[in-house]
mmCIF file of all heavy atoms in Angstrom:
data_model
loop_
_atom_site.group_PDB
_atom_site.id
_atom_site.type_symbol
_atom_site.label_atom_id
_atom_site.label_comp_id
_atom_site.label_asym_id
_atom_site.label_seq_id
_atom_site.Cartn_x
_atom_site.Cartn_y
_atom_site.Cartn_z
ATOM 1 N N MET A 152 -14.771 13.085 10.627
ATOM 2 C CA MET A 152 -16.100 12.493 10.505
ATOM 3 C C MET A 152 -17.093 13.632 10.163
ATOM 4 O O MET A 152 -17.090 14.647 10.824
ATOM 5 C CB MET A 152 -16.516 11.755 11.753
ATOM 6 C CG MET A 152 -17.889 11.047 11.638
ATOM 7 S SD MET A 152 -18.281 10.017 13.074
ATOM 8 C CE MET A 152 -17.166 8.642 12.827
ATOM 9 N N SER A 153 -17.952 13.405 9.158
ATOM 10 C CA SER A 153 -18.947 14.391 8.796
ATOM 11 C C SER A 153 -20.273 14.029 9.496
ATOM 12 O O SER A 153 -20.487 12.899 9.937
ATOM 13 C CB SER A 153 -19.116 14.432 7.272
ATOM 14 O OG SER A 153 -19.529 13.158 6.794
ATOM 15 N N GLY A 154 -21.167 14.992 9.549
ATOM 16 C CA GLY A 154 -22.477 14.745 10.134
ATOM 17 C C GLY A 154 -22.456 15.040 11.631
ATOM 18 O O GLY A 154 -21.547 15.660 12.178
ATOM 19 N N THR A 155 -23.537 14.625 12.273
ATOM 20 C CA THR A 155 -23.695 14.879 13.733
ATOM 21 C C THR A 155 -22.763 13.955 14.577
ATOM 22 O O THR A 155 -22.689 12.767 14.295
ATOM 23 C CB THR A 155 -25.132 14.602 14.170
ATOM 24 O OG1 THR A 155 -26.030 15.400 13.395
ATOM 25 C CG2 THR A 155 -25.341 14.908 15.635
ATOM 26 N N VAL A 156 -22.016 14.595 15.461
ATOM 27 C CA VAL A 156 -21.097 13.850 16.295
ATOM 28 C C VAL A 156 -21.449 14.106 17.776
ATOM 29 O O VAL A 156 -21.612 15.283 18.174
ATOM 30 C CB VAL A 156 -19.638 14.276 16.048
ATOM 31 C CG1 VAL A 156 -18.712 13.551 17.004
ATOM 32 C CG2 VAL A 156 -19.236 13.971 14.612
ATOM 33 N N ILE A 157 -21.579 13.059 18.566
ATOM 34 C CA ILE A 157 -21.923 13.210 19.979
ATOM 35 C C ILE A 157 -20.659 13.504 20.743
ATOM 36 O O ILE A 157 -19.694 12.752 20.675
ATOM 37 C CB ILE A 157 -22.603 11.935 20.533
ATOM 38 C CG1 ILE A 157 -23.903 11.642 19.742
ATOM 39 C CG2 ILE A 157 -22.872 12.076 22.037
ATOM 40 C CD1 ILE A 157 -24.516 10.290 20.091
ATOM 41 N N ALA A 158 -20.626 14.620 21.443
ATOM 42 C CA ALA A 158 -19.440 15.035 22.183
ATOM 43 C C ALA A 158 -19.370 14.273 23.504
ATOM 44 O O ALA A 158 -19.761 14.763 24.551
ATOM 45 C CB ALA A 158 -19.474 16.559 22.434
ATOM 46 N N ALA A 159 -18.883 13.068 23.425
ATOM 47 C CA ALA A 159 -18.762 12.186 24.566
ATOM 48 C C ALA A 159 -17.436 11.454 24.546
ATOM 49 O O ALA A 159 -16.843 11.303 23.438
ATOM 50 C CB ALA A 159 -19.922 11.173 24.601
ATOM 51 N N PRO A 160 -16.926 11.071 25.712
ATOM 52 C CA PRO A 160 -15.642 10.373 25.733
ATOM 53 C C PRO A 160 -15.585 9.154 24.818
ATOM 54 O O PRO A 160 -14.570 8.871 24.229
ATOM 55 C CB PRO A 160 -15.506 9.974 27.217
ATOM 56 C CG PRO A 160 -16.355 10.946 27.970
ATOM 57 C CD PRO A 160 -17.483 11.229 27.070
ATOM 58 N N GLN A 161 -16.687 8.439 24.695
ATOM 59 C CA GLN A 161 -16.722 7.240 23.831
ATOM 60 C C GLN A 161 -16.451 7.597 22.352
ATOM 61 O O GLN A 161 -15.852 6.838 21.627
ATOM 62 C CB GLN A 161 -18.080 6.550 23.919
ATOM 63 C CG GLN A 161 -18.361 5.930 25.296
ATOM 64 C CD GLN A 161 -19.028 6.908 26.258
ATOM 65 O OE1 GLN A 161 -18.939 8.118 26.077
ATOM 66 N NE2 GLN A 161 -19.687 6.389 27.299
ATOM 67 N N THR A 162 -16.953 8.793 21.921
ATOM 68 C CA THR A 162 -16.748 9.210 20.545
ATOM 69 C C THR A 162 -15.250 9.454 20.286
ATOM 70 O O THR A 162 -14.688 8.985 19.305
ATOM 71 C CB THR A 162 -17.519 10.482 20.252
ATOM 72 O OG1 THR A 162 -18.885 10.276 20.508
ATOM 73 C CG2 THR A 162 -17.312 10.948 18.819
ATOM 74 N N TYR A 163 -14.596 10.142 21.216
ATOM 75 C CA TYR A 163 -13.158 10.432 21.047
ATOM 76 C C TYR A 163 -12.349 9.154 21.123
ATOM 77 O O TYR A 163 -11.314 9.006 20.492
ATOM 78 C CB TYR A 163 -12.719 11.446 22.087
ATOM 79 C CG TYR A 163 -13.443 12.750 21.956
ATOM 80 C CD1 TYR A 163 -14.334 13.206 22.934
ATOM 81 C CD2 TYR A 163 -13.299 13.551 20.781
ATOM 82 C CE1 TYR A 163 -15.013 14.419 22.777
ATOM 83 C CE2 TYR A 163 -13.964 14.755 20.662
ATOM 84 C CZ TYR A 163 -14.826 15.170 21.647
ATOM 85 O OH TYR A 163 -15.521 16.342 21.479
ATOM 86 N N GLN A 164 -12.791 8.224 21.977
ATOM 87 C CA GLN A 164 -12.110 6.952 22.061
ATOM 88 C C GLN A 164 -12.219 6.162 20.772
ATOM 89 O O GLN A 164 -11.271 5.561 20.306
ATOM 90 C CB GLN A 164 -12.681 6.089 23.194
ATOM 91 C CG GLN A 164 -11.909 4.780 23.452
ATOM 92 C CD GLN A 164 -12.522 3.950 24.546
ATOM 93 O OE1 GLN A 164 -13.627 4.210 24.993
ATOM 94 N NE2 GLN A 164 -11.791 2.981 24.982
ATOM 95 N N TYR A 165 -13.413 6.224 20.133
ATOM 96 C CA TYR A 165 -13.588 5.568 18.839
ATOM 97 C C TYR A 165 -12.678 6.209 17.765
ATOM 98 O O TYR A 165 -12.051 5.446 17.006
ATOM 99 C CB TYR A 165 -15.092 5.699 18.417
ATOM 100 C CG TYR A 165 -15.323 5.323 17.002
ATOM 101 C CD1 TYR A 165 -15.288 3.979 16.594
ATOM 102 C CD2 TYR A 165 -15.529 6.271 15.980
ATOM 103 C CE1 TYR A 165 -15.566 3.599 15.264
ATOM 104 C CE2 TYR A 165 -15.770 5.927 14.680
ATOM 105 C CZ TYR A 165 -15.759 4.569 14.340
ATOM 106 O OH TYR A 165 -15.967 4.219 13.013
ATOM 107 N N PHE A 166 -12.595 7.532 17.743
ATOM 108 C CA PHE A 166 -11.698 8.207 16.793
ATOM 109 C C PHE A 166 -10.293 7.720 16.996
ATOM 110 O O PHE A 166 -9.550 7.461 16.068
ATOM 111 C CB PHE A 166 -11.802 9.722 17.018
ATOM 112 C CG PHE A 166 -12.915 10.394 16.263
ATOM 113 C CD1 PHE A 166 -14.067 9.705 15.894
ATOM 114 C CD2 PHE A 166 -12.819 11.711 15.921
ATOM 115 C CE1 PHE A 166 -15.087 10.300 15.201
ATOM 116 C CE2 PHE A 166 -13.844 12.335 15.208
ATOM 117 C CZ PHE A 166 -14.996 11.622 14.882
ATOM 118 N N GLN A 167 -9.842 7.652 18.253
ATOM 119 C CA GLN A 167 -8.489 7.291 18.580
ATOM 120 C C GLN A 167 -8.195 5.850 18.126
ATOM 121 O O GLN A 167 -7.142 5.578 17.552
ATOM 122 C CB GLN A 167 -8.236 7.406 20.081
ATOM 123 C CG GLN A 167 -6.837 7.067 20.534
ATOM 124 C CD GLN A 167 -5.739 7.992 19.924
ATOM 125 O OE1 GLN A 167 -6.025 9.160 19.663
ATOM 126 N NE2 GLN A 167 -4.585 7.413 19.627
ATOM 127 N N ARG A 168 -9.109 4.933 18.363
ATOM 128 C CA ARG A 168 -8.910 3.521 17.977
ATOM 129 C C ARG A 168 -8.888 3.427 16.450
ATOM 130 O O ARG A 168 -8.105 2.617 15.913
ATOM 131 C CB ARG A 168 -10.014 2.639 18.603
ATOM 132 C CG ARG A 168 -9.921 2.562 20.106
ATOM 133 C CD ARG A 168 -10.987 1.672 20.674
ATOM 134 N NE ARG A 168 -10.757 0.264 20.288
ATOM 135 C CZ ARG A 168 -11.604 -0.719 20.575
ATOM 136 N NH1 ARG A 168 -12.740 -0.444 21.218
ATOM 137 N NH2 ARG A 168 -11.328 -1.937 20.196
ATOM 138 N N LEU A 169 -9.735 4.141 15.752
ATOM 139 C CA LEU A 169 -9.776 4.104 14.300
ATOM 140 C C LEU A 169 -8.461 4.655 13.741
ATOM 141 O O LEU A 169 -7.913 4.105 12.800
ATOM 142 C CB LEU A 169 -10.949 4.920 13.786
ATOM 143 C CG LEU A 169 -11.290 4.848 12.312
ATOM 144 C CD1 LEU A 169 -11.534 3.403 11.870
ATOM 145 C CD2 LEU A 169 -12.512 5.714 11.995
ATOM 146 N N GLN A 170 -7.963 5.681 14.386
ATOM 147 C CA GLN A 170 -6.684 6.288 13.938
ATOM 148 C C GLN A 170 -5.553 5.307 14.177
ATOM 149 O O GLN A 170 -4.649 5.196 13.325
ATOM 150 C CB GLN A 170 -6.425 7.562 14.709
ATOM 151 C CG GLN A 170 -5.416 8.469 14.119
ATOM 152 C CD GLN A 170 -5.519 9.897 14.665
ATOM 153 O OE1 GLN A 170 -6.488 10.597 14.297
ATOM 154 N NE2 GLN A 170 -4.622 10.274 15.509
#
Side-chain angles (χ1 to χ4, degrees):
M152 184 173 287
S153 60
T155 304
V156 177
I157 300 172
Q161 293 88 339
T162 302
Y163 298 114
Q164 185 181 14
Y165 169 74
F166 274 25
Q167 182 62 33
R168 293 182 68 185
L169 189 56
Q170 197 161 289

